[in-house]
Amino acid sequence: TGYLGSLILEQLLRTCPGVQRVYVLARDRRGRMAQQRIQHMLKTSELFACVRSTCPDALCKVHIKEGPPCYMWRVAAHIG
């Protein structure tokens, strides 16, 4: 949900139609669950406007994994 992560996610969804799944590692923050935060970002952020209008099915490729940033290596090992 950070700046760089959002840019990379948007570019993957917009320019790589062959990608079947994109896993996003996020954590709960400010009383909102990670799932809610990412879904809200995908639906409302201006950054994803092009993806929403040109290839809305790409948003279904995003799979959210909840956990702290230090948990990332475990998730990558599990899905890799």
Side-chain angles (χ1 to χ4, degrees), residues 9-65:
L9 178 60
E10 188 275 337
Q11 190 165 20
L12 273 172
L13 295 174
R14 184 174 42 83
T15 63
C16 301
V19 171
Q20 295 178 350
R21 289 187 193 122
V22 178
Y23 290 93
V24 175
L25 181 66
R27 60 188 168 109
D28 297 348
R29 191 168 186 187
R30 296 184 185 143
R32 292 176 65 192
M33 295 179 66
Q35 182 84 20
Q36 294 171 324
R37 292 177 58 224
I38 302 299
Q39 290 298 330
H40 183 263
M41 178 183 71
L42 294 173
K43 291 179 183 177
T44 63
S45 174
E46 188 64 31
L47 177 63
F48 293 91
C50 183
V51 175
R52 287 191 303 267
S53 64
T54 60
C55 46
D57 292 340
L59 298 176
C60 297
K61 297 178 181 182
V62 178
H63 296 268
I64 301 155
K65 298 291 184 184

